[in-house]
Amino acid sequence: MNKIELLEIIKKGEDSFTEFKEEKAHPDDLAARIVAFANTEGGNLITSREQLMRLFEASKSIYYDELAVPNTSIEDIDLKYVERFIKKSFGCGIGDFGIRTDDLLKNMKILTPYERDMVTTIGGLLFFGKHPEYQFPYCKITIVRFYGNDIGETFDKKDIEGILIEQIERTERILKDYLRAETKIEGFKKEEPRFEIPIEALREAVINAIAHRNYQLPSQNRIFIFDNRIEIKSPGKLPNSVTIDNIKLGFPLHRNPLIVSLLAKEHRMTEIGTGIPRMIRLVKEQTGKEPDFEEREQEFIIRIWRPDSG
């Protein structure tokens, strides 16, 4: 970019693809904008060379879920849930590490320094926050049941908020209520219901939507249930060089590594990209059809076809 081109950009002002930053801008603010451009269609960030040098010196990699949430503190973290998480993941409690609680949470990237304060990270608040919806009201799941095969004016709607694990568990319970199921009774023993779509596959799709969505877009994960299909819609296109073809083959995503790591420690997912191939296999084995995958504007869609109702 030469001087004339730069002056033309400055003259036009800021828009969705151009942003100016003052010399005193905080590194986390710069990082957030760089990640935003990287996760969408790119853009121009106009700032001082020294600011960018400070930014890249402070971090070898920039991930949105590891950035600071200003005006938060350890008081916004549910320490009882952190304790249960640590016991489940490591077999010990917070006090067994022999360091201060805030230092432990900093090491886990749940807390991070911001100016003179210790605040939560975005991923830390979404995973362990007492009320993450206060800071991120769009980080939720909306389930809509339409009657028929098209979007219509008659529907049932449910919003699921709270920490990410609660969203996963509540979503699964609600989806089971909408699915057809068969239950066999052998003698006096009642077997677990067999749902028309494997619950493991739907769970995988929901977890992937939560783990890999673009959290910078002010939109929620949405699940649309129609008579003939279920669509799981997550904000944001696939990041960087990731394509639909290579995720079907097991290519791992790295948009929100903190959230992915925490979900893996909760034994909700792996970090090696095997979830999508497994989901495809489970759905095809039971329904005879593979799921469809689609990128549409700023949205990624997994479409699972329901078996004929007979």
Side-chain angles (χ1 to χ4, degrees), residues 276-300:
I276 293 293
R278 179 172 178 269
M279 181 190 68
I280 294 171
R281 176 178 58 80
L282 289 171
V283 171
K284 187 174 182 179
E285 286 177 352
Q286 185 156 323
T287 70
K289 298 179 182 178
E290 288 192 4
D292 294 335
F293 300 86
E294 180 184 356
E295 284 187 289
R296 181 189 300 165
E297 297 180 351
Q298 286 301 319
E299 191 170 55
F300 181 71

Side-chain angles (χ1 to χ4, degrees), residues 168-234:
I168 292 168
E169 292 176 348
R170 290 177 58 199
T171 296
E172 181 174 329
R173 291 196 295 270
I174 291 171
L175 286 176
K176 286 179 177 178
D177 289 339
Y178 285 120
L179 292 175
R180 295 183 288 267
E182 294 180 353
T183 303
K184 293 183 179 180
I185 300 177
E186 295 288 341
F188 294 100
K189 185 178 180 181
K190 184 177 180 181
E191 294 184 356
E192 288 293 318
R194 184 177 187 270
F195 292 95
E196 57 179 308
I197 296 172
I199 290 299
E200 295 88 347
L202 285 173
R203 185 187 303 129
E204 189 68 48
V206 171
I207 290 173
N208 270 274
I210 284 175
H212 303 307
R213 63 156 288 179
N214 185 344
Y215 279 97
Q216 293 165 275
L217 297 179
S219 177
Q220 68 268 48
N221 286 311
R222 297 180 296 161
I223 300 176
F224 287 180
I225 303 172
F226 299 93
D227 286 355
N228 66 346
R229 68 192 185 279
I230 296 176
E231 296 183 347
I232 297 94
K233 302 167 175 274
S234 55

Side-chain angles (χ1 to χ4, degrees), residues 3-236:
K3 184 177 180 180
I4 295 175
E5 291 172 332
L6 177 61
L7 291 173
E8 278 296 315
I9 291 174
I10 295 173
K11 183 178 178 181
K12 291 179 181 178
E14 292 185 321
D15 56 28
S16 58
F17 296 99
T18 304
E19 186 160 330
F20 307 132
K21 285 297 182 185
E22 296 180 357
E23 184 177 355
K24 295 182 179 180
H26 194 279
D28 278 1
D29 296 331
L30 289 174
R33 296 316 306 157
I34 291 172
V35 175
F37 288 150
N39 281 336
T40 53
E41 302 294 331
N44 299 301
L45 182 67
I46 312 300
T47 185
S48 60
R49 178 176 177 273
E50 288 74 18
Q51 280 289 93
L52 289 178
M53 290 300 293
R54 281 201 301 125
L55 173 65
F56 292 118
E57 285 173 2
S59 176
K60 294 180 181 178
S61 301
I62 302 169
Y63 296 107
Y64 185 71
D65 63 343
E66 297 177 4
L67 297 182
V69 183
N71 302 316
T72 59
S73 72
I74 193 172
E75 297 298 322
D76 294 291
I77 297 298
D78 184 346
L79 293 179
K80 291 183 179 179
Y81 176 43
V82 176
E83 179 79 16
R84 294 196 301 272
F85 174 87
I86 289 175
K87 285 184 176 179
K88 182 177 181 180
S89 302
F90 305 106
C92 59
I94 292 176
D96 296 321
F97 287 89
I99 61 176
R100 292 169 43 185
T101 299
D102 54 351
D103 288 332
L104 175 61
L105 298 188
K106 179 183 175 183
N107 292 343
M108 294 176 66
K109 298 184 179 181
I110 299 171
L111 297 179
T112 190
Y114 183 83
E115 301 192 351
R116 297 183 179 181
D117 299 319
M118 188 66 70
V119 302
T120 74
T121 60
I122 292 170
L125 187 65
L126 290 173
F127 211 91
F128 297 106
K130 294 176 180 176
H131 298 285
E133 64 274 11
Y134 292 173
Q135 292 281 347
F136 301 102
Y138 55 87
C139 293
K140 61 183 178 180
I141 298 176
T142 297
I143 300 177
V144 185
R145 172 60 167 111
F146 293 101
Y147 295 92
N149 295 328
D150 299 298
I151 294 175
E153 297 181 359
T154 302
F155 55 83
D156 297 329
K157 175 176 170 289
K158 293 180 173 65
D159 287 321
I160 298 116
E161 297 178 329
I163 60 174
L164 299 184
I165 292 299
E166 288 179 353
Q167 291 187 29
I168 292 168
E169 292 176 348
R170 290 177 58 199
T171 296
E172 181 174 329
R173 291 196 295 270
I174 291 171
L175 286 176
K176 286 179 177 178
D177 289 339
Y178 285 120
L179 292 175
R180 295 183 288 267
E182 294 180 353
T183 303
K184 293 183 179 180
I185 300 177
E186 295 288 341
F188 294 100
K189 185 178 180 181
K190 184 177 180 181
E191 294 184 356
E192 288 293 318
R194 184 177 187 270
F195 292 95
E196 57 179 308
I197 296 172
I199 290 299
E200 295 88 347
L202 285 173
R203 185 187 303 129
E204 189 68 48
V206 171
I207 290 173
N208 270 274
I210 284 175
H212 303 307
R213 63 156 288 179
N214 185 344
Y215 279 97
Q216 293 165 275
L217 297 179
S219 177
Q220 68 268 48
N221 286 311
R222 297 180 296 161
I223 300 176
F224 287 180
I225 303 172
F226 299 93
D227 286 355
N228 66 346
R229 68 192 185 279
I230 296 176
E231 296 183 347
I232 297 94
K233 302 167 175 274
S234 55

Side-chain angles (χ1 to χ4, degrees), residues 250-264:
F251 191 87
L253 303 182
H254 298 288
R255 172 175 277 152
N256 303 303
L258 175 58
I259 290 174
V260 169
S261 173
L262 294 171
L263 286 169

